[in-house]
Amino acid sequence: MAVGPMYYGASQNAGTNETFLEADRFGGKALVASNTHNILEPPATNVSVGVGGVGQVGTAGWSYGWGVMGASMKDGGLQAGVVGMGWGAANTGVIGEAHTGNAAWGVWGRSNQGYAGWFSGKVHVRDSLTKGSGGFKIDHPLDPENKYLVHSFVESPDMLNVYSGNVETDGNGEAVVILPGYFEALNQDFTYQLTGVGQFAQAIIAEEIRDNRFSIKTDKPNVKVSWQVTGVRQDPYAARNRITPEEEKLEGERGLYLHPEAYGQSRSRDITFERERAHEAMKSNLRHQGAELLDSHGAKP
């Protein structure tokens, strides 16, 4: 281990050894790094950096509280408490892991007014996804500059796939609907809906789905029919991960709510309340420490 003074504004190289800094009291600071200039000229404009790390692991922190804490105290969308960038090919900007216990969260995003998470790009969830509500939100087609259009997802206790279309029967009142080539491999437990369009006519399923097609018969010729078919997923992943519509709450969640306000209950009955309260207490303490450190080093707001 290299032992010796570290000089502000200088570069220290311990060679094959380590330079180790240690705080010997709770709340002690092993290292404080401060950028006292709020504006750093090109190549990075309007960005101040407190700590920069270069290497296989540029900056690492271990703690019984927060391993690494980053805070930004200036308004504006460019500022960020923590920034993770993966510039290499097939790289990752931020990795969050938590594997122990049912209440382990790899990444926890919170926002009382904005968004707890915002993704500009594709998003993939490898396993299950649950939510309180959901839908699409787009610029309103009739007034895209001033309004949004919001629709809810179609939901079901089954893993349903929905297929629909229109077909016209021939002179004999017959029509064949061809489904995607993967239909029967993906689906089981089919249901059918048929509706005549433009005239009163009876329509039936003459032959059920076989070889990814089914046939329709009407009591009149040349009838336009709107059809809808649903199927329940039977692919290997779905077969092993069926949705259970009713689920018992775990021991630590009983008596608590995901949405207590919807049931006229207080915020203290929220499942996340205790975790959030502990988080707020630690955050308040660190916020004060951060403000004191910035002030003591002459950093400008």
Side-chain angles (χ1 to χ4, degrees):
M1 178 185 296
V3 180
M6 295 181 69
Y7 300 98
Y8 290 106
S11 173
Q12 172 137 335
N13 189 335
T16 59
N17 299 309
E18 295 179 344
T19 298
F20 185 80
L21 304 176
E22 182 179 85
D24 61 359
R25 62 183 177 84
F26 180 76
K29 303 169 186 66
L31 170 66
V32 175
S34 172
N35 186 324
T36 60
H37 296 284
N38 201 47
I39 297 180
L40 183 66
E41 294 302 325
T45 305
N46 295 327
V47 175
S48 295
V49 179
V51 177
V54 179
Q56 295 297 320
V57 178
T59 302
W62 287 266
S63 173
Y64 287 104
W66 291 350
V68 176
M69 182 269 189
S72 175
M73 299 183 183
K74 185 178 180 181
D75 296 338
L78 179 63
Q79 283 68 36
V82 175
V83 176
M85 299 180 183
W87 284 331
N91 211 324
T92 301
V94 175
I95 297 175
E97 292 193 25
H99 301 291
T100 305
N102 292 303
W105 300 344
V107 176
W108 181 15
R110 302 173 64 226
S111 178
N112 293 325
Q113 298 181 20
Y115 292 89
W118 180 281
F119 302 92
S120 297
K122 297 184 293 184
V123 176
H124 174 72
V125 179
R126 182 179 180 273
D127 293 309
S128 63
L129 170 69
T130 57
K131 57 186 177 54
S133 64
F136 75 72
K137 179 178 181 180
I138 62 173
D139 296 316
H140 199 295
L142 299 180
D143 191 1
E145 293 187 358
N146 300 297
K147 292 182 180 180
Y148 294 112
L149 183 64
V150 182
H151 276 25
S152 174
F153 292 142
V154 176
E155 297 173 342
S156 165
D158 299 310
M159 293 174 136
L160 285 183
N161 291 315
V162 181
Y163 305 80
S164 62
N166 296 303
V167 68
E168 185 171 327
T169 59
D170 61 16
N172 296 319
E174 298 175 348
V176 175
V177 176
I178 300 176
L179 297 165
Y182 54 77
F183 182 87
E184 286 184 273
L186 179 63
N187 297 285
Q188 63 182 359
D189 301 335
F190 314 130
T191 64
Y192 309 85
Q193 299 290 332
L194 301 176
T195 303
V197 179
Q199 58 179 305
F200 291 104
Q202 292 183 330
I204 65 169
I205 301 295
E207 294 183 8
E208 293 198 61
I209 295 171
R210 183 178 179 182
D211 297 329
N212 300 310
R213 63 181 62 199
F214 67 94
S215 61
I216 295 172
K217 176 73 174 176
T218 57
D219 63 344
K220 298 178 182 178
N222 308 119
V223 177
K224 183 178 180 180
V225 178
S226 283
W227 60 268
Q228 183 182 91
V229 172
T230 65
V232 177
R233 282 179 57 186
Q234 66 169 356
D235 56 280
Y237 180 85
R240 296 184 61 181
N241 295 275
R242 289 295 177 200
I243 292 174
T244 303
E246 295 180 295
E247 182 179 319
E248 295 289 336
K249 290 186 176 180
L250 299 174
E251 184 65 31
E253 299 173 344
R254 291 176 186 169
L256 303 176
Y257 297 79
L258 289 170
H259 306 284
E261 66 284 354
Y263 294 89
Q265 300 293 323
S266 68
R267 185 77 180 87
S268 63
R269 301 290 295 278
D270 192 291
I271 282 176
T272 65
F273 179 75
E274 291 299 329
R275 179 177 290 197
E276 289 180 350
R277 186 168 66 169
H279 172 76
E280 288 298 327
M282 183 179 292
K283 186 174 68 175
S284 177
N285 182 40
L286 286 170
R287 184 186 294 117
H288 290 305
Q289 291 185 30
E292 291 173 358
L293 286 169
L294 289 172
D295 183 65
S296 66
H297 287 78
K300 307 179 184 69

